[in-house]
Amino acid sequence: MLIATALAENIAGNASFLENWWNAVSPKLMDGTANFWETIYGEIYRNVIMEGRWLNYLKGLGVTLEVSFLAALVGVILGTVLALMKLSRTPWLSKPAGAYIHLIRSTPLLLQVLIINFGIFASVNVDKIIIGVIACGLNSAAYVAELIRGGIQSVDKGQTEAGRSLGLNGWQTMRLIVLPQAIKTALPSLCNEFIVLIKETSVLAYIALTDLTKAADYIRSRTFSPFTSYIVSALLYLAVISIFTKLVGKLERRLRRSDNR
Amino acid sequence: MITVEKLEKHFGKLHVLRGVDQHISQGEKVVVIGPSGSGKTTFLRCLNLLERPTGGRILFEGVDITDPKCDINRIRRKMGMVFQQFNLFPHLNILKNITLAPVQLKLMSQQEAEENAMRLLKRVGLSEKATVFPRQLSGGQQQRIAIVRALAMNPDVMLFDEPTSALDPEMVGEVLDVMKQLAEDGMTMVVVTHEMGFAREVGDRVLFMDEGLVVEEGTPAEIFEHPQQQRTRDFLQKVLK
Ligand SMILES: Nc1ncnc2c1ncn2[C@@H]1O[C@H](COP(=O)(O)OP(=O)(O)OP(=O)(O)O)[C@@H](O)[C@H]1O
Ligand SMILES: [Mg+2]
């Protein structure tokens, strides 16, 4: 954010030519004589540059990434526990895990968020970010659990037998031998789950968390542009997710290389 | 060392072991042969309880390991097992493969375990492979590492389930050589194998299994030169051609 503020000041200082242009364009916009490019420019100026609005987007993006990252952390930890529970031979572990996964995957995320916000945290004053992390984390855990369960089941059972035959107990064998291999197998899909999560946290705008989507809402309420701020937010999601997708692709190729060395 | 009494194993309705009685003494090399599906693998896996017997008892060093109160993890430390498919841990390098269990089970410090591993690797001629990963090794090398991994626990007995069956023919010899060396060192061994040459050379006693029973047993000379049972004769005729 420090860098962003410095950048803002810098731009504000050098922005006089933008401002001059705006001063020339805005009357045309008012009386409807602006041409196509002038309209576009006017929209961008009002929705991005004017009053340092681009900072709202960046702050929103920061919140989106923060919530996504923390929710992913909750999701991976809880998801691993759920996967182990669901694979357990003890019914009082596997049944609740199965029921939880089914429940989460069969209801809309938005409703889960609303229920957690207006139900569980109705009377307590908790930071919206924390509510968002909990709601999205609980949701993501169900999907992560299935990915990790798939990973565990793809590990040859000879691995477990080798571990047990050396005298390791069931948990040691799972933790040291099976889980590392399972997570490696599931890693690309886990990263994709994270990408999905980044987009899905946009439902948190409903509980007034100022994420990237809510930032667009806010700016629209100030500028009365019909949809320009949404396009800007969408482009930012696109940019961030394109970067992650590229990284996941790289990771996948590296894993594949290490598999047939 | 190991006493097996009336051992039975069902898989659902399938009656795979139908009352096996055996006594394996300290230092003895027992070779198990028999047709496919006769229960050899199941018998071996019952000895360290990878399969739970559905009847009978198994005593190991005087302890009834089929007793539900018995701490099987502790018993298994003393029983090394080598699998047909090697089952090395692909995410760990060779040294870690070997030292994982002794260190985790607090039998040795990391350093002791590594020294022990290097000594064993040297014995099987693979000391330069300590830092590579299993996938970088040939089948024969992997199986020798698997033997070393089991030996690193200082077991009292080694169980082998067709250790050379998954290998290309040119690699069978190097694994059998390691096993022969182990036999000469006095290790107690139970070996399921189709390598009749090995059985003859190394075995103190050969068990011929068929349909869940030890049909005939004796010294290699007795079994291979003078089989008493028709089923043994049929089997040997087929495998020796
Ligand atoms: N986990 C299992 N569930 C059901 N049936 C099994 C299981 N394991 C083995 N069997 C059956 O038990 C019988 C004996 O199998 P086992 O693997 O002990 O034979 P084997 O003598 O080792 O044969 P091979 O020489 O082919 O390895 C076979 O009919 C096999 O299909
Ligand atoms: Mg077998």
Side-chain angles (χ1 to χ4, degrees):
Chain A
M1 276 302 105
L2 212 69
I3 300 170
T5 321
L7 247 161
E9 280 164 8
N10 193 16
I11 287 184
N14 295 316
S16 54
F17 81 99
L18 291 173
E19 238 173 277
N20 293 340
W21 197 359
W22 169 247
N23 290 337
V25 165
S26 58
K28 293 191 193 174
L29 285 171
M30 292 289 211
D31 57 27
T33 57
N35 67 24
F36 176 74
W37 290 111
E38 285 167 340
T39 312
I40 299 259
Y41 171 70
E43 281 300 306
I44 293 174
Y45 189 86
R46 272 200 302 171
N47 285 282
V48 182
I49 297 159
M50 206 177 189
E51 294 171 20
R53 294 210 163 110
W54 57 280
L55 257 178
N56 291 72
Y57 295 104
L58 284 191
K59 278 184 189 150
L61 179 61
V63 169
T64 290
L65 290 178
E66 184 184 351
V67 170
S68 304
F69 182 77
L70 293 175
L73 209 64
V74 172
V76 165
I77 294 167
L78 184 61
T80 306
V81 173
L82 282 169
L84 293 174
M85 283 173 69
K86 192 166 174 187
L87 285 172
S88 151
R89 263 162 305 190
T90 328
W92 58 264
L93 286 174
S94 62
K95 286 264 163 63
Y100 177 85
I101 292 168
H102 182 65
L103 177 74
I104 293 288
R105 300 212 304 170
S106 314
T107 52
L109 171 61
L110 177 54
L111 288 180
Q112 294 162 14
V113 168
L114 293 175
I115 290 167
I116 288 173
N117 185 57
F118 295 112
I120 296 164
F121 290 107
S123 50
V124 273
N125 192 11
V126 184
D127 192 334
K128 292 286 180 202
I129 288 188
I130 294 177
I131 297 179
V133 167
I134 291 173
C136 290
L138 290 178
N139 176 273
S140 186
Y143 295 90
V144 168
E146 289 297 271
L147 296 178
I148 293 197
R149 187 173 65 97
I152 290 173
Q153 283 174 326
S154 77
V155 176
D156 188 273
K157 80 180 195 325
Q159 292 289 308
T160 305
E161 289 176 353
R164 297 305 305 270
S165 77
L166 288 165
L168 299 173
N169 65 31
W171 170 236
Q172 288 168 324
T173 304
M174 178 55 74
R175 181 168 54 89
L176 301 165
I177 296 165
V178 179
L179 257 189
Q181 296 181 54
I183 288 177
K184 187 181 165 190
T185 308
L187 201 53
S189 356
L190 287 172
C191 290
N192 282 320
E193 167 61 21
F194 178 59
I195 287 173
V196 170
L197 193 58
I198 294 176
K199 286 177 289 178
E200 290 196 329
T201 55
S202 69
V203 306
L204 297 172
Y206 266 86
I207 60 166
L209 179 75
T210 47
D211 70 338
L212 184 51
T213 303
K214 189 72 191 170
D217 255 349
Y218 166 76
I219 288 166
R220 181 173 178 271
S221 75
R222 302 295 300 265
T223 61
F224 300 109
S225 293
F227 59 88
T228 309
S229 60
Y230 293 136
I231 301 272
V232 175
S233 281
L235 288 174
L236 284 171
Y237 278 109
L238 179 69
V240 165
I241 284 170
S242 301
I243 292 168
F244 274 114
T245 308
K246 255 231 149 65
L247 291 177
V248 175
K250 262 204 184 123
L251 176 78
E252 259 177 48
R253 276 194 298 280
R254 261 189 60 182
L255 286 180
R256 216 170 310 132
R257 253 208 315 278
S258 74
D259 270 349
N260 34 19
R261 69 183 145 204
Chain B
M1 172 172 276
I2 302 177
T3 306
V4 177
E5 293 172 356
K6 301 195 177 58
L7 180 65
E8 299 208 30
K9 176 70 188 180
H10 294 79
F11 287 112
K13 283 211 183 80
L14 202 62
H15 202 172
V16 176
L17 293 180
R18 302 188 298 156
V20 177
D21 290 287
Q22 276 300 317
H23 180 80
I24 297 160
S25 325
Q26 171 101 41
E28 200 178 14
K29 289 100 185 90
V30 177
V31 177
V32 184
I33 61 172
S36 183
S38 56
K40 307 180 295 294
T41 294
T42 307
F43 170 68
L44 199 72
R45 289 162 58 89
C46 279
L47 294 182
N48 69 352
L49 254 53
L50 280 185
E51 300 290 356
R52 275 237 163 236
T54 45
R57 290 207 307 166
I58 299 168
L59 303 178
F60 176 65
E61 297 176 343
V63 180
D64 180 0
I65 65 171
T66 46
D67 183 345
K69 285 197 290 287
C70 164
D71 179 1
I72 187 61
N73 294 325
R74 200 159 271 280
I75 299 292
R76 282 183 182 142
R77 296 176 187 181
K78 291 283 137 205
M79 306 174 106
M81 188 169 225
V82 175
F83 302 85
Q84 192 174 341
Q85 299 298 337
F86 332 138
N87 294 342
L88 293 182
F89 307 133
H91 61 302
L92 301 176
N93 72 19
I94 297 310
L95 203 57
K96 275 267 155 55
N97 260 276
I98 301 167
T99 58
L100 179 76
V103 173
Q104 278 297 321
L105 297 171
K106 303 198 165 58
L107 306 178
M108 296 177 200
S109 71
Q110 182 68 40
Q111 196 193 339
E112 283 171 327
E114 279 176 18
E115 282 166 13
N116 189 37
M118 290 312 298
R119 190 175 51 76
L120 290 167
L121 281 174
K122 200 164 167 194
R123 233 171 80 184
V124 301
L126 290 172
S127 25
E128 78 281 14
K129 300 293 186 190
T131 56
V132 309
F133 284 81
R135 258 184 286 263
Q136 295 164 283
L137 298 177
S138 73
Q141 292 172 327
Q142 288 194 47
Q143 192 62 299
R144 284 187 278 160
I145 300 290
I147 294 171
V148 165
R149 180 176 68 180
L151 288 176
M153 296 291 294
N154 295 321
D156 294 342
V157 57
M158 287 283 285
L159 312 174
F160 294 84
D161 188 11
E162 299 196 32
T164 58
S165 294
L167 296 176
D168 292 339
E170 72 269 22
M171 295 174 186
V172 169
E174 63 191 64
V175 171
L176 291 182
D177 285 345
V178 169
M179 292 170 65
K180 283 175 198 163
Q181 193 188 339
L182 199 57
E184 277 164 27
D185 294 347
M187 177 62 77
T188 312
M189 295 163 72
V190 184
V191 185
V192 175
T193 187
H194 292 298
E195 294 292 331
M196 296 303 153
F198 176 85
R200 231 188 272 241
E201 187 181 337
V202 177
D204 294 320
R205 191 150 55 93
V206 177
L207 311 183
F208 171 71
M209 283 187 73
D210 195 15
E211 294 179 350
L213 288 170
V214 176
V215 175
E216 186 168 356
E217 62 174 285
T219 62
E222 287 167 347
I223 296 289
F224 290 111
E225 320 304 341
H226 311 287
Q228 302 298 307
Q229 301 285 331
Q230 187 56 44
R231 280 193 274 177
T232 317
R233 281 198 286 269
D234 290 346
F235 173 75
L236 288 175
Q237 207 154 45
K238 254 184 258 162
V239 295
L240 298 175
K241 279 179 217 101

